[in-house]
Amino acid sequence: MTIETSGPEAGFDRQLASLRAQSEKVRRAAATRMVIERALGMVTVLVPCTGQRARALLVDVARHCDVSLRAVAAALVAGPEGEELPDVMQHEIGRALRRLRSAEQH
């Protein structure tokens, strides 16, 4: 059963709902950023490379796999937790690493 409110209470209810939605949006954004930052850290240590190069590598993989940067980062972060990278991502990471190394040599 929903109780309808009017007057100042209705305005408060709308504000509260809006604040809850904004809070959830911020929470999701922070979680996404955390996953991406963790993946970037992994790449900078394993390759090794700068953070900027690591981001470029992950963006390149995302573009070639037609997925979001977050999806690539999440798959990479899940690897140490026992989940394998999808074959297409494994392939594209290898290709992106070769392109990165080639660019560094020139």
Side-chain angles (χ1 to χ4, degrees):
M1 182 168 136
T2 303
I3 299 174
E4 296 289 324
T5 57
S6 61
E9 290 176 357
F12 175 77
D13 289 345
R14 282 192 297 276
Q15 272 188 312
L16 183 58
S18 175
L19 288 172
R20 284 184 177 150
Q22 288 174 3
S23 176
E24 179 60 21
K25 187 176 178 181
V26 168
R27 188 198 63 74
R28 282 193 314 267
T32 293
R33 176 143 187 159
M34 199 166 58
V35 168
I36 291 170
E37 291 298 324
R38 186 170 173 201
L40 290 171
M42 291 171 67
V43 172
T44 60
V45 168
L46 296 172
V47 170
C49 64
T50 65
Q52 185 177 9
R53 292 249 187 210
R55 180 173 287 279
L57 185 138
L58 294 181
V59 167
D60 190 37
V61 170
R63 187 178 324 111
H64 282 91
C65 292
D66 196 28
V67 296
S68 68
L69 175 59
R70 186 205 184 291
V72 172
L76 192 61
V77 167
E81 297 169 1
E83 294 182 36
E84 285 192 32
L85 280 172
D87 289 339
V88 68
M89 276 190 203
Q90 287 182 26
H91 178 74
E92 286 304 328
I93 287 174
R95 291 181 65 201
L97 283 169
R98 286 190 292 279
R99 286 189 294 271
L100 177 70
R101 289 185 181 125
S102 176
E104 288 175 348
Q105 292 174 354
H106 293 98

